Amino acid sequence: MPRYIFITGGVVSSLGKGLASAALGALLQARGYRVRLRKLDPYLNVDPGTMSPYQHGECYVTDDGAETDLDLGHYERFPGVPASQSDNITTGRIYSRIIERERRGDYLGATVQVIPHVTDQIKQFVLSDAGDVDFVLCEIGGTVGDIEGLPFFEAIRQLGQELGSDNAVFVHVTLLPFIKAAGEMKTKPTQHSVKELRSIGIQPDILLCRCEIPIEPGDKRKIGQFCNVRESAVIEGRDAASLYDVPLEYHRQGLDREVLRCFGMEDAPEPDLTRWETISQVVAEPDGEVTIGVVGKYVGLLDAYKSLIEALHHGGIANGVKVNLKWLDSEQFEQDDPYEPLEDVHAVLVPGGFGERGAEGKIAAARFARERKVPYFGICYGMQMAVLEAARNMAGIENAMSTEIGQGGEPVIGLLTEWTRGNEVETRSAEGDMGGTMRLGAYPAVLTEGSRVREIYGAAHIEERHRHRYEVNVAYREQLEAAGLKFSGLSPDGVLPEIVEIEDHPWFIGVQFHPELKSRPFEPHPLFASFIAAALHQSRMV
């Protein structure tokens, strides 16, 4: 039976519970243990698929097609363990299941209540489908005291009792603010947060205290006394120089050692942190740097591009260079002079997105990269905009359009109302539900012999994760290829264009999928490694 670690947060949001969970999972894995990480989200949406990136940040997609919280990206990148549909649950999904069962009469006339019916569903999720692992780490979204989170806290309180102290440990992430006017760190917010947690029956075993300066021994002792935890269990969590320094920092502070101690595992093997130390050194001592212009529509909240940012840095790690990101709102490219902001970049990347806003700006960015021979990487929507640019300015289809942008013109990009996944045919309608109706999850593709992407992947067949509704119309393939835009990757049946590229260009590739979702610091995605290498070459030419 696996042991369970429950990670909660207090005082304020955005303290880094997800990153702490991922780092702890990586540390336990470095000691030879098998881990699984899960996220419990208290919001009423069934999943984050229909939420604006400005509300929730990136929507992370798993191989099995789940639209999940962005923290699952951390869970995959740090321990390298693939996540699935069963690793993220929301209040919306739980209530949907309960209401379906109640309508069927499964509760045999009983009054359906939060306790036990909702809490039982949460516990079932936590305990089910754990697999053959040593530790399951469960992060509870939000902060203690939030009304929507109460059923989740009650459920894990019950699990703490049912599993016993040898099989359940509670880690509480909290804040120790430094008040500059007073010149001292304040422990009261942490004390109140723990008091709130204890009022609902949960005594934390470990406090992970986010702070700007080191915690003085006297403050640690004070926190331990007021919060009823060992002094050694008050763990300092300061900002690290790099995201991938976090596991090393938490190990130095004793987080993994204290967790194992709570489980009575005093003889656990020491962790092998060699690969983390190697990554840390490469990031701290780069051999050069490149600047990538990222032309997107959600640049006001960079969490909307979390996996993309990390994948670009992974490409930098693969090439031993620092990657600087220049964030550019695609709408500014719809002005009179769209090219000026891109003059100083070594490569251009247009990421995924939805809707009409900023679309013409992305097309302008693709044109700049094509005409100026600057490396270009178009992802999902970025590929589609590159196809439209090529259709208009290379193939002479002046009124080439995407039906996502507007009606009229040549529908080079359109809504695919039916496609096949395995033996299951799915039908989609433009007027139907939005949630869960995209082409989601891992799909195969066949790469054209002699193409740049086949050389980059070193394989003829690949499988990548998708999240989109619209597709490039394969009927325009012959016309576009005659103009110079090659369809170098297609679905196995040849119906869905997956990759396009321009041969007589230093590096111009568009992909319909999201390769950033499968990139890892120790295994940078080959497309990102090659893209940064092209940017590095470009930097040495200018």
Side-chain angles (χ1 to χ4, degrees):
M1 176 183 175
R3 295 176 171 89
Y4 289 83
I5 303 169
F6 298 103
I7 298 96
T8 60
V11 187
V12 294
S13 59
S14 301
L15 286 180
K17 295 193 305 296
L19 190 56
S21 301
L24 177 56
L27 290 173
L28 293 171
Q29 188 184 65
R31 290 178 180 265
Y33 297 111
R34 295 157 299 177
V35 300
R36 184 148 190 177
L37 292 98
R38 289 183 160 160
K39 178 73 181 289
L40 287 68
D41 278 309
Y43 50 75
L44 281 169
N45 303 67
V46 172
D47 59 43
T50 58
M51 297 170 69
S52 166
Y54 284 123
Q55 286 278 316
H56 196 259
E58 169 190 70
C59 178
Y60 192 78
V61 178
T62 60
D63 277 339
D64 61 357
E67 293 178 287
T68 71
D69 185 83
L70 63 82
D71 280 330
L72 271 73
H74 292 313
Y75 298 171
E76 285 203 4
R77 284 187 288 272
F78 277 63
V81 179
S84 70
Q85 180 80 52
S86 60
D87 291 321
N88 190 201
I89 197 75
T90 67
T91 298
R93 179 167 287 137
I94 289 168
Y95 274 83
S96 294
R97 292 177 181 175
I98 290 172
I99 291 170
E100 287 172 6
R101 293 186 62 188
E102 186 275 332
R103 291 292 84 188
R104 288 197 306 263
D106 292 356
Y107 294 109
L108 300 175
T111 302
V112 182
Q113 298 175 294
V114 173
I115 302 172
H117 300 102
V118 173
T119 52
D120 282 353
Q121 280 287 311
I122 297 170
K123 291 192 293 183
Q124 181 181 335
F125 164 76
V126 170
L127 298 174
S128 66
D129 194 29
D132 186 22
V133 300
D134 301 299
F135 294 95
V136 176
L137 291 80
C138 289
E139 176 197 348
I140 291 80
T143 57
V144 61
D146 294 344
I147 190 169
E148 62 265 29
L150 288 175
F152 290 91
F153 285 101
E154 172 60 20
I156 65 172
R157 183 199 67 77
Q158 292 179 22
L159 282 171
Q161 292 293 317
E162 294 165 10
L163 295 170
S165 58
D166 290 339
N167 293 304
V169 163
F170 293 92
V171 178
H172 191 53
V173 184
T174 186
L175 178 68
L176 290 180
F178 178 74
I179 308 301
K180 292 182 180 179
E184 60 181 341
M185 179 182 287
K186 293 297 183 179
T187 65
K188 195 63 71 177
T190 291
Q191 293 177 44
H192 281 299
S193 182
V194 172
K195 181 181 178 181
E196 183 75 28
L197 192 62
R198 292 173 69 185
S199 72
I200 56 179
I202 298 174
Q203 167 62 53
D205 300 289
I206 298 169
L207 296 178
L208 182 54
C209 302
R210 299 285 281 112
C211 52
E212 297 180 45
I213 62 173
I215 306 174
E216 296 293 334
D219 285 330
K220 276 196 174 186
R221 188 161 48 251
K222 178 181 179 181
I223 293 168
Q225 288 174 344
F226 276 93
C227 298
N228 197 31
V229 298
R230 288 193 297 262
E231 186 177 335
S232 62
V234 180
I235 306 296
E236 181 182 294
R238 282 188 289 163
D239 289 344
S242 158
L243 195 67
Y244 301 108
D245 282 336
V246 173
L248 297 173
E249 291 298 326
Y250 281 157
H251 175 67
R252 293 188 189 105
Q253 295 297 325
L255 176 61
D256 51 325
R257 182 176 61 252
E258 199 62 35
V259 167
L260 293 170
R261 183 180 176 186
C262 290
F263 283 120
M265 302 170 69
E266 302 282 358
D267 57 348
E270 286 299 308
D272 180 5
L273 299 174
T274 305
R275 65 179 189 169
W276 290 103
E277 292 165 349
T278 301
I279 291 289
S280 178
Q281 184 175 3
V282 171
V283 172
E285 302 173 5
D287 184 19
E289 58 184 68
V290 296
T291 300
I292 309 298
V294 183
V295 182
K297 62 183 293 186
Y298 307 119
V299 296
L301 181 68
L302 297 188
D303 269 357
Y305 301 111
K306 194 64 181 174
S307 292
L308 179 70
I309 293 169
E310 295 313 313
L312 286 165
H313 289 311
H314 300 165
I317 291 170
N319 289 277
V321 298
K322 179 183 179 182
V323 177
N324 300 310
L325 302 180
K326 183 177 182 180
W327 295 96
L328 300 163
D329 191 322
S330 57
E331 288 186 281
Q332 77 181 82
F333 288 82
E334 298 172 356
Q335 308 303 319
D336 294 335
D337 182 13
Y339 289 175
E340 190 275 330
L342 291 172
E343 294 290 352
D344 61 343
V345 304
H346 303 125
V348 176
L349 188 148
V350 176
F354 295 94
E356 181 180 1
R357 182 173 66 83
E360 292 297 331
K362 293 181 179 183
I363 292 172
R367 183 173 186 174
F368 169 88
R370 179 179 62 81
E371 292 180 341
R372 299 291 185 89
K373 301 293 185 180
V374 174
Y376 177 86
F377 196 0
I379 296 176
C380 195
Y381 202 65
M383 167 192 166
Q384 295 177 5
M385 296 303 100
V387 170
L388 286 185
E389 192 280 322
R392 293 176 183 179
N393 302 309
M394 294 172 65
I397 311 173
E398 294 182 1
N399 61 343
M401 283 290 287
S402 166
T403 56
E404 184 173 4
I405 297 174
Q407 300 300 314
E410 291 270 358
V412 176
I413 314 292
L415 181 68
L416 191 64
T417 57
E418 183 178 274
W419 62 83
T420 302
R421 182 176 184 177
N423 294 319
E424 179 184 358
V425 175
E426 302 184 48
T427 302
R428 298 294 180 237
S429 164
E431 292 78 29
D433 288 346
M434 291 183 65
T437 59
M438 289 184 278
R439 188 172 168 219
L440 293 165
Y443 285 82
V446 179
L447 307 184
T448 304
E449 187 173 355
S451 64
R452 182 189 295 272
V453 288
R454 184 155 172 172
E455 178 186 353
I456 291 171
Y457 274 98
H461 297 83
I462 61 170
E463 192 172 87
E464 294 281 3
R465 298 178 189 177
H466 294 66
R467 185 177 183 252
H468 58 98
R469 287 189 182 86
Y470 293 80
E471 303 275 356
V472 176
N473 190 337
V474 76
Y476 290 89
R477 177 183 181 182
E478 184 176 343
Q479 196 171 354
L480 287 166
E481 288 198 326
L485 184 72
K486 301 300 182 183
F487 285 45
S488 53
L490 293 162
S491 59
D493 59 8
V495 173
L496 304 176
E498 297 281 12
I499 307 175
V500 296
E501 61 180 63
I502 297 177
E503 293 178 331
D504 61 342
H505 190 283
W507 206 99
F508 193 105
I509 293 174
V511 298
Q512 183 60 79
F513 46 82
H514 289 270
E516 69 270 22
L517 300 178
K518 296 183 74 171
S519 187
R520 310 285 179 264
F522 313 111
E523 297 178 52
H525 194 286
L527 285 175
F528 282 94
S530 178
F531 177 59
I532 297 302
L536 182 60
H537 179 73
Q538 182 78 7
S539 73
R540 291 169 177 167
M541 294 177 60
V542 296

